[in-house]
Amino acid sequence: MADGPVSRRSVKRGAMARREALWGYLFVTPPLLGFLIFGFIPILMSLALAFAKWDMFRPPRFAGVSNFARIGADEIVAKSFVNTLVFFIGVPIGMALSLLLALALNRKIRGINWYRAIYYLPAVSSMVAIALLWQWIFNPEKGLLNMELLKLGVKGPEWLQDPLWVKPALILMGVWGGLGPNLILFLAGLQGVPQSLYEAASIDGAKPWQQFLYVTWPMLTPTTFFISVMGAIGAFQYFGQIYIMTQGGPEHASTSYMFYLWQQAFTYYRMGYASALAWVLGIIIIGVTIVQFRVANRWVFYETV
Amino acid sequence: MASSFQSQKRFTRMWNVITHCLLLAGTVLMVAPFVWMLSTSLKTEGNIFTPLPEWLPRQTFTYVVLDGVKTMVDTVVVENENGRSQVRIRGRAEAVDVPASAVVKETRIAPAWENYKEVVDTVPFFQGVRNTLLITLIGLIGGLFTTSLSAYAFAKLRFPGRDALFYAILGTMMIPGVVTMLPTFILFRQAGWINTFRPLIVPALFGGAWGIFLMRQHMKTIPDELEDASRIDGCNPFQTWWKLMMPLCKPVLATLGIFGFMGGWNDFMGPLIYLNDPSKFTLQLLLASFSSYYSTKTNLLMAGSMMSLIPVLVLFFAAQRYFVQGITLTGVKR
């Protein structure tokens, strides 16, 4: 008798919970559907395509591992992969510069918001506009860069038209454009270093550079690693600037892996081969990302100290 | 002790000077390309090709000086014909015959604003803006709707499998876009959606993993008591989401909205894959395509680029704190 009302209440609570669950499922349906349609199904299709030959006009044919074998034998793939790795040089250069800038801004500097905004400017600008602007700056005869070099008595190279100079030119532009976001990440990292660590270090008699080496730098390594991994993922998929500025030339000297993949898919309609290329790149990126997550986990542990 | 304190003070002052010099030099290097863009966009074609970089746009104007009265000339029709010139004076239809010595050329600093007008007149610039806005805003508003609803469900509602589903969605962030790019293209091609805005709008309507994560984190910080109160007042979860959660989520919504807008406005690869009819081009696609069209008219190209940047620059300076906030959130720190 005594548990009558209790059980009735629990029935009511059960109905409420069921209703809440229904609302919940309703609300999460769109992203789950999106995941299915734009994530899961394409992944399966892509995997199937990587083992097929298909030009989108005739029906696809099963091709075994021939696409992957072809990647190994394709000299331009090798060249574009090396090019992509060379573009990576910009990542550490950009990181060193933005760390330097972040250290400068972390001192009680007047106008910090202004500096932050100005360095962040390229990151909000459209890649197309930036690429067109730098194409003009790199113009051999009338571009800003060579004209300024001429003032110093140096005859500049033909930048984007020179196989030797096209990569340094693109790296220069990439470093310029990437400073802002990295700077802000480093600044966030720096501001998260507890002041007590510096006080403790200075009581122990640590000089400023020792404080940097033994306090700041260790505390920044997770940020540094995060930026380097994100930078690498971005650099792997370097495409738009190449498409607009050089079309991979001259002599494939600026062909990035992603640009080559794009050409295979949308210029030559080799969907199977392009899919195989995509999978190779995708696996590399996932590998890098897994490393990132591992290190991020270690970082969470440090942060709670 | 005192001397060591003083040397430290001197050290600090020296570092402050070095810091400011470094930052200022950096600022110049960051801004110079943009200033060059602006300056080129305001130059006349003849003025672009000076032997040394000119930061200020100059123009050469032609005048006729007759009886001490200076009148601007639009075009010189015939020059040096028996020591006379035929010129078309501004505001008059027919050419006028004047002595060649009366024709004076004058070069001075003057921005060629007409470049901007020429871009707008010769390429469907505003059509590109309209297309871009249409795609970006529909995708953004629809996407924020689904994103915030599901974030609310993941943060506050209880249902079996909730956390597993959340991590499944987070897992989609692990899939590199390059792997799904081609099959997604093929799917949309099969659906007959190529050369329509649908491939650029529809995926956004399903909500994004990153936005869901960000909003869920924020909603978790909202006390459950507020939600309970809303339920007791008779609100169902949808009403609670709309009346309670949305107003409390304004900062996150603003951050996501701004980044979504920037992403849509600046997107290049998506429109490049799916659109091939110039009347459907987005602004970025238009800009890239008229770079070959205008390959010799760099001033017009820079004017177009400048115009494409203005909205985002205005947005950036207006909403700067959201940008910095958002960037910090994307970092390792919360």
Side-chain angles (χ1 to χ4, degrees):
Chain A
M1 283 302 264
D3 51 302
V6 174
S7 73
R8 210 169 39 235
R9 205 179 299 146
S10 80
V11 165
K12 215 172 167 187
R13 203 181 290 151
M16 258 174 73
R18 229 181 340 233
R19 212 174 306 142
E20 184 174 322
L22 276 178
W23 280 106
Y25 289 124
L26 183 71
F27 290 171
V28 301
T29 301
L32 288 174
L33 264 180
F35 164 65
L36 201 69
I37 301 169
F38 305 111
F40 195 65
I41 294 173
I43 283 256
L44 291 184
M45 276 176 70
S46 177
L47 197 58
L49 268 176
F51 295 96
K53 274 200 180 354
W54 191 33
D55 61 4
M56 295 210 298
F57 304 108
R58 284 160 298 176
R61 278 180 297 121
F62 179 70
V65 293
S66 67
N67 285 331
F68 292 95
R70 191 169 155 188
I71 291 175
D74 191 333
E75 275 172 39
I76 301 176
V77 169
K79 196 164 182 178
S80 69
F81 194 75
V82 172
N83 286 345
T84 305
L85 291 183
V86 173
F87 290 137
F88 275 17
I89 295 173
V91 178
I93 295 175
M95 278 169 58
L97 281 177
S98 46
L99 174 59
L100 210 63
L101 288 165
L103 285 170
L105 285 177
N106 200 37
R107 308 162 62 76
K108 286 191 188 86
I109 285 289
R110 209 175 294 174
I112 176 170
N113 285 332
W114 260 101
Y115 284 122
R116 262 201 311 215
I118 282 167
Y119 285 99
Y120 199 66
L121 218 50
V124 294
S125 309
S126 89
M127 181 276 300
V128 179
I130 293 292
L132 293 175
L133 166 65
W134 279 88
Q135 204 175 19
W136 170 229
I137 289 173
F138 285 133
N139 184 303
E141 283 106 42
K142 303 127 193 167
L144 177 64
L145 192 57
N146 277 7
M147 292 208 296
E148 289 289 351
L149 284 174
L150 210 62
K151 268 190 194 167
L152 304 171
V154 180
K155 196 189 175 310
E158 296 211 328
W159 299 110
L160 301 177
Q161 281 90 48
D162 184 336
L164 196 69
W165 285 99
V166 65
K167 280 193 277 278
L170 291 170
I171 289 169
L172 176 70
M173 178 183 110
V175 167
W176 176 84
L179 280 180
N182 290 350
L183 163 71
I184 284 177
L185 282 172
F186 272 130
L187 210 52
L190 282 173
Q191 284 168 356
V193 181
Q195 205 55 42
S196 59
L197 288 182
Y198 290 115
E199 280 154 19
S202 70
I203 286 166
D204 289 346
K207 292 188 171 64
W209 66 269
Q210 285 172 321
Q211 288 186 17
F212 173 79
L213 212 60
Y214 298 113
V215 179
T216 314
W217 179 248
M219 293 296 283
L220 278 183
T221 43
T223 313
T224 311
F225 199 83
F226 177 83
I227 294 174
S228 68
V229 174
M230 293 312 282
I233 289 177
F236 272 123
Q237 305 192 58
Y238 194 47
F239 168 77
Q241 291 86 337
I242 309 283
Y243 180 92
I244 290 169
M245 295 174 79
T246 66
Q247 287 282 320
E251 297 162 31
H252 296 291
S254 69
T255 302
S256 69
Y257 189 97
M258 190 69 190
F259 181 76
Y260 188 63
L261 191 161
W262 164 273
Q263 268 189 325
Q264 291 302 316
F266 294 105
T267 310
Y268 306 117
Y269 296 110
R270 291 176 192 142
M271 286 296 165
Y273 187 46
S275 296
L277 284 169
W279 269 94
V280 169
L281 183 59
I283 286 166
I284 293 173
I285 292 174
I286 288 171
V288 170
T289 313
I290 286 170
V291 174
Q292 174 204 348
F293 266 70
R294 282 204 183 145
V295 174
N297 280 341
R298 235 185 279 165
W299 157 242
V300 172
F301 171 76
Y302 274 120
E303 197 189 19
T304 54
V305 168
Chain B
M1 278 308 269
S3 79
S4 116
F5 177 72
Q6 231 165 22
S7 85
Q8 192 162 352
K9 218 170 139 189
R10 205 177 306 138
F11 182 81
T12 311
R13 205 178 308 139
M14 184 189 79
W15 265 109
N16 276 342
V17 171
I18 293 175
T19 304
H20 268 293
C21 289
L22 182 84
L23 287 172
L24 233 51
T27 306
V28 171
L29 289 178
M30 291 314 286
V31 174
F34 287 107
V35 177
W36 187 239
M37 182 192 246
L38 178 66
S39 130
T40 307
S41 77
L42 292 173
K43 287 177 181 175
T44 55
E45 229 175 303
N47 195 243
I48 285 182
F49 308 122
T50 50
L52 285 174
E54 285 220 14
W55 290 90
L56 291 170
R58 286 172 205 282
Q59 279 189 77
T60 304
F61 299 95
T62 312
Y63 296 95
V64 168
V65 186
L66 284 176
D67 306 327
V69 181
K70 211 161 115 184
T71 326
M72 194 185 269
V73 166
D74 277 343
T75 44
V76 177
V77 185
V78 193
E79 230 175 295
N80 291 331
E81 191 191 277
N82 313 322
R84 296 187 74 79
S85 291
Q86 282 207 331
V87 295
R88 193 161 279 137
I89 289 173
R90 179 158 293 179
R92 275 199 231 168
E94 72 282 1
V96 186
D97 196 55
V98 294
S101 58
V103 179
V104 180
K105 287 196 175 177
E106 221 181 78
T107 302
R108 58 181 159 85
I109 294 163
W113 295 110
E114 59 270 22
N115 288 348
Y116 285 80
K117 193 177 174 298
E118 197 174 339
V119 171
V120 172
D121 286 344
T122 48
V123 295
F125 191 86
F126 288 116
Q127 194 171 40
V129 170
R130 212 201 56 200
N131 291 342
T132 311
L133 281 179
L134 198 71
I135 293 168
T136 308
L137 292 182
I138 295 177
L140 189 62
I141 293 166
L144 282 181
F145 179 79
T146 44
T147 296
S148 57
L149 261 183
S150 56
Y152 167 57
F154 284 129
K156 294 289 183 191
L157 300 182
R158 276 161 301 236
F159 53 95
R162 182 186 71 177
D163 291 342
L165 291 176
F166 175 68
Y167 287 114
I169 285 176
L170 265 199
T172 60
M173 296 204 307
M174 286 278 288
I175 304 170
V178 59
V179 175
T180 51
M181 181 179 84
L182 294 181
T184 314
F185 170 77
I186 291 162
L187 278 175
F188 284 134
R189 192 171 166 272
Q190 223 64 31
W193 284 11
I194 300 300
N195 211 16
T196 71
F197 293 157
R198 277 172 277 184
L200 301 168
I201 294 173
V202 174
L205 298 181
F206 288 88
W210 176 239
I212 293 173
F213 175 74
L214 214 62
M215 292 202 81
R216 176 179 173 269
Q217 295 299 91
H218 184 79
M219 286 174 177
K220 284 237 173 217
T221 65
I222 296 169
D224 284 341
E225 285 76 14
L226 278 176
E227 218 213 335
D228 291 341
S230 152
R231 296 284 184 91
I232 290 163
D233 285 349
C235 286
N236 64 32
F238 187 82
Q239 289 164 325
T240 306
W241 164 79
W242 178 246
K243 287 183 182 156
L244 179 73
M245 287 296 169
M246 283 301 91
L248 290 173
C249 280
K250 272 181 192 158
V252 197
L253 283 170
T255 306
L256 281 178
I258 289 164
F259 276 96
F261 179 80
M262 303 278 301
W265 184 269
N266 290 339
D267 185 23
F268 176 64
M269 205 174 189
L272 181 68
I273 293 176
Y274 293 112
L275 304 175
N276 39 46
D277 177 358
S279 75
K280 297 207 168 92
F281 275 10
T282 61
L283 188 56
Q284 302 303 329
L285 217 48
L286 204 64
L287 210 55
S289 75
F290 78 63
S291 87
S292 50
Y293 182 73
Y294 276 156
S295 58
T296 54
K297 294 183 175 176
T298 313
N299 50 346
L300 298 188
L301 198 53
M302 290 298 114
S305 303
M306 208 66 222
M307 276 194 277
S308 82
L309 287 187
I310 289 165
V312 281
L313 295 190
V314 169
L315 184 68
F316 174 58
F317 283 107
Q320 220 223 96
R321 73 197 169 95
Y322 286 115
F323 274 94
V324 177
Q325 222 175 42
I327 294 296
T328 319
L329 282 165
T330 59
V332 234
K333 304 208 48 102
R334 279 157 289 121

